[in-house]
Amino acid sequence: HRQRFAVRPVTEQLADPLLELDRPQDALREYRSALMLAPGRRGSLIGAATAAERIGDAKTASAMRLQLAARP
């Protein structure tokens, strides 16, 4: 049973501005932390895929997009 968060995990909240500040490596680290707390969370998966694309990590970006597509 998955825990539902009423608010975004703090690590996701930190990752979003890091991505906006063109710090995708740092953002990806924070999105991954958020996904440890809330596996499959849509916002974290999208952010992680975007950050991975920006650093040229196609494998991670693809894996995140596959997880996103597999969500119910």
Side-chain angles (χ1 to χ4, degrees):
H1 188 86
R2 287 189 184 162
Q3 180 180 2
R4 297 222 175 231
F5 285 85
V7 296
R8 295 185 315 148
V10 171
T11 50
E12 185 180 300
Q13 292 179 45
L14 176 61
D16 290 343
L18 288 170
L19 195 56
E20 290 175 19
L21 292 170
D22 198 29
R23 294 176 55 190
Q25 189 77 37
D26 295 329
L28 181 56
R29 182 186 63 243
E30 298 303 331
Y31 286 124
R32 284 182 167 157
S33 293
L35 288 165
M36 295 291 287
L37 295 172
R41 183 170 165 75
R42 184 176 190 277
S44 294
L45 289 170
I46 292 170
T50 301
E53 288 168 352
R54 289 189 187 173
I55 61 173
D57 185 348
K59 183 178 177 181
T60 298
S62 179
M64 295 298 164
R65 298 231 184 263
L66 284 173
Q67 287 183 50
L68 186 60
R71 290 185 73 234

